[in-house]
Amino acid sequence: MDKTWWKEAVVYQIYPRSFMDSNGDGIGDIQGIISRLDYLKYLGIDVIWLSPVYQSPNDDNGYDISDYQAIMDEFGTMEDFDELLEKAHGRGIRIVMDLVVNHTSDEHKWFIESRKSMNNPYRDYYIWRKGKDSQTPPNNWGACFGGSAWQYDEETAMYYLHLFSRKQPDLNWDNPNVRKEIFDMMTWWCDKGIDGFRMDVISMISKTSEMPDGEVNGLYGDFGPFCVHGPNVHKYLQEMNEKVLSKYDIMTVGETAGVTPEQAKLYAGENAHELNMVFQFEHVESDGKYGKWTDQKMPLTTLKKIMSHWQTELYDKAWNSLFWDNHDQPRAVSRFGDDRPQYREISAKMLATCLHMLQGTPYIYQGEELGMTNYPFKNPGDFRDIESINAYQEWCVDGPIPHDAFWPCLTFKSRDNARTPVQWDDSAQAGFTAGTPWIAVNPNYKEINAKAETANPDSVFHYYKKLIALRKQNPIMVYGKYEALLEDCEELFAYTRTYQNEKLLIVCSFCDHETVFTIPEEFLDMPCLISNTGQEYDRKEITLEAYEAFVLHKK
Ligand code: GLC
Ligand code: CA
């Protein structure tokens, strides 16, 4: 297995709108990020994944781009971006950009042209089809954010495809001009000195030419078999690799919902010449009750099975990316841990241990290092996210599910849980803004904030800092081979890592009561690398506290 910097790195995701506001307009911005670089340096992360900062009308908070080579007015200017890049690099921090090229905004100049006429030179940049008639779209596919995946456009009396919102028309990757424009744009960013790309829904760029109805699931048909891992996706990524990626020392990670380990090896195999790694979603997407919506935690045995499968299948063949949450997911501690006050800190540390000891590149989502929690939503009007707003409308207001049944599911999984402002201190608006934030601050900011966390050596923050530092000193954390223990246990997630003549034992309790663990012979009297309690592990039978985690190191 090749050693590379991006395998050894820890990535920190910034969702700029909610990170830090520098000018009091209530919206996070690039100068805000610059003002917190020292905080990130102190935490010890190596790479920032910057969610989109490009020009955008913000139908989907920047994931609808109207100009790939300009910065969103609310976030600053290209000079601000260049300053960010320079100051991050000055601190040894790399910057990976979000690349959203499955679709553009409908306000992108290509789309404005495309919709004008059937013979416009940009017509074929997007996916246009005749409807069955002006009331009936070409097929029954549903969009990810609700409604049909087709939008009728009066100008030419045809429909365009949008797998997300109707303001996010899908690009036609089969058009070589589209690919060329995208590759040129990527080259422009690489030449600026950025350090990589996180590729938004990259597994959806290639569609089948036949577009039949999909299997109906809820109100609409599933586009999956025709648009996800489509016929030419690998061809196009290999072309991208050849024309752009291979020319730079950058890291790439593809967002590939629904991916299996077999497919991941095609996208990110050691010799696949496509991407460095992909995000898989089995551990965050196999739990829905109404579509993706649920209020249930996944059983631990299911979670372990998924994680173990990925650890084993990709070993020596491809590279894992590791995450509990991101801007599309609820807060890790609320979802996989326990956010009740007495368990929040210990379970947040346990989750961090469990993830950072696995093989792969760990991703920390902003605020996770503070143990930030889900937001206590009270009313539908509390939401800002297009997905949550549309889901409430479609499932409850217009649909069959009673409010009381749907509400707990919506609030447990809403993307807005992750999008409330980062809690910097205990002053008004958690120090995020001097004005009114675009989305409410979590009321628990007086207890949970970066100022308190950095001041307390036993905090979640300092625990993350320690884990990151340990990764730098112990190649076994990066390269060691994974082996699962206690696969049928519903309380403990335990595994080992083996590298050269060293071995790690990782034991994490996922339950709110005591459990007993028997230390395997070979780890008796071995030193403890990290633990989230003060306990000694110097005997065979260990009684673990609720959410205790520890790592023993045999050398
Ligand atoms: C990805 C992004 C998500 C966005 C969607 C459409 O899943 O992570 O935030 O809404 O793509 O671009
Ligand atoms: Ca601002």
Side-chain angles (χ1 to χ4, degrees):
M1 191 190 313
D2 294 342
K3 295 195 167 179
T4 62
W5 62 264
W6 45 264
K7 290 179 180 167
E8 296 171 11
V10 175
V11 183
Y12 185 95
Q13 184 191 351
I14 291 184
Y15 192 70
R17 205 170 193 77
S18 307
F19 189 68
M20 179 67 205
D21 174 24
S22 70
N23 63 352
D25 67 355
I27 296 171
D29 46 50
I30 293 177
Q31 285 300 332
I33 300 173
I34 293 173
S35 73
R36 298 295 179 178
L37 283 174
D38 286 330
Y39 166 86
L40 297 176
K41 180 73 194 158
Y42 182 57
L43 178 58
I45 56 102
D46 308 284
V47 177
I48 292 171
W49 152 21
L50 198 57
S51 276
V53 292
Y54 315 93
Q55 193 68 253
S56 162
N58 283 303
D59 189 52
D60 185 21
N61 288 354
Y63 283 90
D64 49 320
I65 296 169
S66 53
D67 186 344
Y68 290 102
Q69 276 150 278
I71 299 295
M72 192 191 299
D73 296 333
E74 291 167 327
F75 290 175
T77 62
M78 196 55 83
E79 286 69 50
D80 293 322
F81 179 85
D82 292 341
E83 184 185 337
L84 171 63
L85 191 61
E86 195 192 313
K87 292 196 166 153
H89 285 171
R91 288 166 175 80
I93 296 175
R94 293 172 150 105
I95 294 197
V96 162
M97 302 293 281
D98 218 311
L99 182 77
V100 189
V101 289
N102 173 69
H103 44 266
T104 67
S105 163
D106 64 342
E107 298 180 34
H108 193 286
K109 62 175 191 252
W110 301 337
F111 191 75
I112 294 173
E113 287 301 314
S114 185
R115 80 192 327 172
K116 280 185 184 163
S117 74
M118 312 260 280
N119 46 25
N120 187 284
Y122 289 91
R123 182 65 171 181
D124 205 28
Y125 272 44
Y126 294 86
I127 301 171
W128 293 94
R129 290 285 187 280
K130 284 212 168 64
K132 290 180 179 148
D133 56 57
S134 73
Q135 316 296 329
T136 323
N139 67 31
N140 70 354
W141 297 353
C144 293
F145 298 153
S148 165
W150 297 96
Q151 176 66 29
Y152 183 70
D153 204 49
E154 272 176 8
E155 209 61 57
T156 54
M158 282 176 83
Y159 287 81
Y160 64 85
L161 180 69
H162 62 88
L163 298 183
F164 293 87
S165 93
R166 81 172 76 104
K167 285 185 68 61
Q168 293 167 300
D170 280 55
L171 282 164
N172 175 18
W173 273 72
D174 295 329
N175 180 343
N177 295 333
V178 167
R179 302 203 297 279
K180 180 164 189 314
E181 299 241 29
I182 292 172
F183 299 159
D184 287 350
M185 174 273 286
M186 292 172 70
T187 300
W188 185 85
W189 280 102
C190 288
D191 287 342
K192 217 180 218 313
I194 62 142
D195 304 287
F197 296 106
R198 172 269 184 188
M199 302 188 188
D200 194 66
V201 293
I202 201 70
S203 52
M204 301 191 188
I205 58 175
S206 166
K207 281 84 174 171
T208 53
S209 45
E210 295 292 306
M211 296 188 159
D213 282 348
E215 201 181 311
V216 177
N217 169 11
L219 296 174
Y220 292 93
D222 176 17
F223 62 68
F226 316 101
C227 303
V228 184
H229 316 302
N232 293 316
V233 66
H234 296 294
K235 193 170 131 202
Y236 297 155
L237 287 176
Q238 282 158 24
E239 186 183 336
M240 180 196 283
N241 186 293
E242 186 204 317
K243 300 211 164 124
V244 188
L245 308 177
S246 59
K247 306 206 164 116
Y248 302 89
D249 180 23
I250 55 175
M251 75 168 254
T252 52
V253 50
E255 189 202 24
T256 51
V259 74
T260 63
E262 282 318 308
Q263 290 158 334
K265 285 179 232 174
L266 300 177
Y267 284 109
E270 294 261 333
N271 297 309
H273 302 293
E274 292 186 22
L275 306 176
N276 294 145
M277 56 187 132
V278 294
F279 288 121
Q280 65 84 15
F281 289 87
E282 278 190 84
H283 65 306
V284 290
E285 275 184 354
S286 322
D287 58 354
K289 194 156 150 193
Y290 311 116
K292 71 169 258 186
W293 308 99
T294 182
D295 56 357
Q296 298 300 309
K297 275 192 182 169
M298 178 182 276
L300 182 63
T301 44
T302 312
L303 178 67
K304 290 195 291 186
K305 205 168 159 194
I306 293 171
M307 300 310 257
S308 294
H309 189 214
W310 281 91
Q311 290 287 300
T312 331
E313 282 297 310
L314 296 200
Y315 183 72
D316 236 1
K317 302 200 175 71
W319 193 249
N320 274 295
S321 44
L322 307 168
F323 69 100
W324 289 132
D325 56 3
N326 60 37
H327 66 296
D328 294 329
Q329 301 291 336
R331 288 281 172 187
V333 69
S334 301
R335 182 182 198 173
F336 295 103
D338 193 330
D339 63 10
R340 288 176 289 175
Q342 69 273 37
Y343 297 128
R344 184 186 62 84
E345 291 196 49
I346 194 166
S347 69
K349 293 174 186 170
M350 179 281 288
L351 288 172
T353 316
C354 187
L355 197 82
H356 285 241
M357 291 292 161
L358 289 172
Q359 188 178 53
T361 299
Y363 290 72
I364 301 170
Y365 178 68
Q366 65 183 33
E368 179 190 326
E369 79 283 11
L370 309 173
M372 278 178 61
T373 66
N374 273 0
Y375 182 86
F377 297 101
K378 295 278 179 307
N379 304 298
D382 292 344
F383 293 110
R384 296 288 173 274
D385 172 28
I386 182 170
E387 183 192 47
S388 304
I389 293 168
N390 290 357
Y392 186 74
Q393 185 71 28
E394 198 163 298
W395 289 90
C396 273
V397 180
D398 302 339
I401 314 297
H403 171 92
D404 290 351
F406 194 63
W407 188 252
C409 302
L410 181 65
T411 55
F412 187 61
K413 290 221 40 201
S414 172
R415 307 198 296 181
D416 276 341
N417 285 303
R419 299 178 180 186
T420 65
V422 171
Q423 294 160 209
W424 294 106
D425 59 37
D426 61 3
S427 69
Q429 308 299 356
F432 163 72
T433 179
T436 308
W438 70 278
I439 186 172
V441 171
N442 195 310
N444 63 20
Y445 73 93
K446 297 234 174 205
E447 293 82 59
I448 307 171
N449 63 66
K451 188 171 171 218
E453 291 273 324
T454 46
N456 170 8
D458 287 329
S459 64
V460 178
F461 176 91
H462 280 281
Y463 196 88
Y464 269 87
K465 184 168 156 62
K466 183 166 179 196
L467 276 172
I468 297 167
L470 283 173
R471 185 179 181 86
K472 306 278 174 294
Q473 298 145 14
N474 295 281
I476 186 172
M477 278 177 70
V478 181
Y479 297 108
K481 183 171 192 211
Y482 171 95
E483 212 175 321
L485 301 175
L486 307 176
E487 280 157 290
D488 300 322
C489 176
E490 279 296 354
E491 294 164 325
L492 300 176
F493 193 153
Y495 57 92
T496 59
R497 300 281 305 279
T498 309
Y499 184 64
Q500 295 166 349
N501 48 6
E502 293 177 43
K503 206 162 172 184
L504 295 176
L505 169 71
I506 297 96
V507 182
C508 300
S509 165
F510 274 69
C511 63
D512 64 359
H513 50 260
E514 290 186 345
T515 42
V516 176
F517 178 79
T518 309
I519 307 262
E521 209 62 47
E522 59 177 333
F523 285 102
L524 278 176
D525 297 318
M526 291 300 159
C528 175
L529 199 60
I530 191 166
S531 155
N532 64 354
T533 70
Q535 139 136 266
E536 305 273 337
Y537 302 93
D538 53 359
R539 60 207 179 276
K540 217 168 146 64
E541 296 282 295
I542 303 290
T543 304
L544 281 90
E545 282 177 35
Y547 302 109
E548 181 161 348
F550 65 90
V551 180
L552 301 184
H553 192 182
K554 180 186 146 196
K555 285 204 236 204

